[in-house]
Amino acid sequence: MKAITVEPKKPGSARYEDFPEPDVREGSVLVEAVAVGVCGTDVEIVEGKYGWAPPGKTRLVLGHESLGRVIDPGPSSSFKAGDLVVGIVRRPDPVPCPNCAVGEWDMCTNGQYTERGIKEIHGFMSERWRIEPEYAIKVDASLGLLGVLLEPMTVITKAIEQVFLAGQRAYWEPRTVLVTGAGPIGLLAALRLSARNLQVHVLDRAETGPKPQLVRDLGATYHTGSVLDLDFAPDIVVECTGVGAVIADSIQKVNSGGIICLTGVGAGGAAERATADIAAAVVLKNNVIVGSVNANKRHWYKAGQNLAASDPAWLSRLITRREKPENFQQALVRQPDDIKVVIQFSDI
Ligand SMILES: [Zn+2]
């Protein structure tokens, strides 16, 4: 079969190549790939900045935002041939740490977890892949290609859960939400928060393209420019840019008692404000800053429900480009109006 593989930590090593059929030890369910979403982590792996091959191997099959069709459900699963499934990305560490021991592998404390397509387990960018039945999530057949949005939806399902869990520390009546960054994660955050009784605002750099109308179609308000120029103090900030200045401005701007959830992963940049000044603002306003990454099975299950309950016409506008596997390099290069780019392996 064909697969998109990379030698981790070696820039320029990605290729679409012949690769052995998936090993039965990777899971009893055999799946035909339909599509795989591309995200910033894939770009980082291809640029040689991140990623680990399976033990004893030099190459890693890329891809963690999967959608596939069951070919053979194997002897011990409730799936049927033809079911659409998405693979959970992370596996618990082998020790295990207390969180992995109770199924909260997203909260792993020793860092020895593994992740498909990222850390020591092959990903989903191959014509066929295998998965353990307990790590496959069936998606509603009516979703079709939109099932590829399940993995990003799990990230935001966990993040929103974290915000409202943190909110229980005191009496809290949140009214306004600011989402910074209108990429797939930010737009899915706006979608889910709009479903609650909250005034949702989204801030992004883009002044043209599909993002402003996607936000307005949720009944939310679209902003460009600086967080500091907004004429309200948000009760919740869901930060999806990872940009230092946006994070510092959000902490300054958030309302008293407000909660900031960081989901973006950035690096570097100038120190916009002294750490003690940022901390003073957090102290004096009783703010919570909570980081959120990955998701566990509870979030995957809820995300599947959230996705199936969303407007499919709106969701389909998030998938702005589809590329063939042999053109995967084009999928990795951002174009101005891209939101979610997917590599499509087979028809749906
Ligand atoms: Zn762990």
Side-chain angles (χ1 to χ4, degrees):
M1 67 170 183
K2 293 276 193 186
I4 299 167
T5 71
V6 63
E7 186 176 333
K9 310 279 170 59
K10 192 173 172 190
S13 64
R15 51 180 191 250
Y16 180 56
E17 63 176 351
D18 289 319
F19 203 77
E21 290 287 332
D23 193 306
V24 72
R25 285 171 295 185
E26 291 172 5
S28 58
V29 182
L30 179 64
V31 180
E32 171 192 28
V34 172
V36 184
V38 172
C39 85
T41 303
D42 300 309
V43 175
E44 286 198 341
I45 294 170
V46 168
E47 288 175 347
K49 295 174 183 164
Y50 202 69
W52 296 262
K57 309 277 187 197
T58 55
R59 299 192 74 82
L60 171 75
V61 176
L62 199 62
H64 58 277
E65 297 183 8
S66 62
L67 175 67
R69 190 183 294 112
V70 173
I71 299 173
D72 178 0
S76 61
S77 81
S78 57
F79 299 110
K80 296 187 210 59
D83 281 349
L84 290 179
V85 290
V86 174
I88 291 178
V89 178
R90 193 176 280 195
R91 298 291 177 277
D93 80 76
V95 176
C97 77
N99 289 76
C100 286
V102 300
E104 290 185 354
W105 53 69
D106 57 317
M107 304 293 286
C108 181
T109 52
N110 67 18
Q112 294 180 51
Y113 61 83
T114 53
E115 287 176 331
R116 294 201 66 156
I118 302 171
K119 191 167 183 274
E120 299 171 14
I121 327 177
H122 287 313
F124 302 106
M125 287 187 188
S126 53
E127 288 179 294
R128 283 169 291 284
W129 40 270
R130 283 187 170 274
I131 192 156
E132 316 87 323
E134 63 273 27
Y135 287 101
I137 302 286
K138 185 176 168 179
V139 296
D140 199 294
S142 67
L143 283 168
L145 185 66
L146 300 176
V148 79
L149 297 172
L150 182 60
E151 196 277 343
M153 183 65 104
T154 67
V155 170
I156 215 62
T157 300
K158 175 185 172 183
I160 294 174
E161 178 198 77
Q162 295 291 304
V163 167
F164 284 91
L165 283 172
Q168 289 179 18
R169 76 209 157 114
Y171 182 75
W172 190 45
E173 259 183 26
R175 295 173 198 279
T176 52
V177 181
L178 172 65
V179 177
T180 50
I185 297 290
L187 288 167
L188 289 172
L191 171 73
R192 291 305 305 156
L193 291 161
S194 298
R196 297 171 180 245
N197 197 19
L198 294 161
Q199 295 162 33
V200 178
H201 299 259
V202 179
L203 182 138
D204 191 276
R205 286 181 302 188
E207 295 185 347
T208 58
K211 292 175 178 179
Q213 196 58 43
L214 276 161
V215 169
R216 288 185 202 114
D217 288 348
L218 295 173
T221 310
Y222 189 83
H223 303 267
T224 55
S226 167
V227 171
L228 295 178
D229 292 336
L230 297 172
D231 62 357
F232 67 98
D235 298 308
I236 299 168
V237 180
V238 181
E239 207 298 303
C240 307
T241 71
V243 175
V246 177
I247 297 166
D249 290 350
S250 297
I251 295 169
Q252 186 174 331
K253 192 75 182 175
V254 71
N255 205 2
S256 283
I259 295 170
I260 297 157
C261 184
L262 304 178
T263 70
V265 180
E272 300 285 329
R273 272 182 277 288
T275 305
D277 294 347
I278 293 174
V282 172
V283 170
L284 295 171
K285 294 188 293 180
N286 280 301
N287 294 136
V288 178
I289 302 172
V290 56
S292 182
V293 70
N294 200 259
N296 65 42
K297 201 161 187 178
R298 173 172 83 250
H299 308 120
W300 281 84
Y301 177 75
K302 285 170 70 177
Q305 292 180 320
N306 292 343
L307 204 61
S310 302
D311 174 11
W314 188 90
L315 287 174
S316 68
R317 290 158 61 199
L318 300 185
I319 301 176
T320 45
R321 195 152 56 92
R322 303 189 217 174
E323 296 285 1
K324 293 180 176 156
E326 54 268 38
N327 299 333
F328 76 92
Q329 293 284 10
Q330 273 126 280
L332 295 168
V333 179
R334 272 199 78 73
Q335 293 179 6
D337 290 345
D338 279 344
I339 297 175
K340 176 57 70 185
V341 178
V342 305
I343 299 175
Q344 192 158 356
F345 282 80
S346 61
D347 290 335
I348 186 142

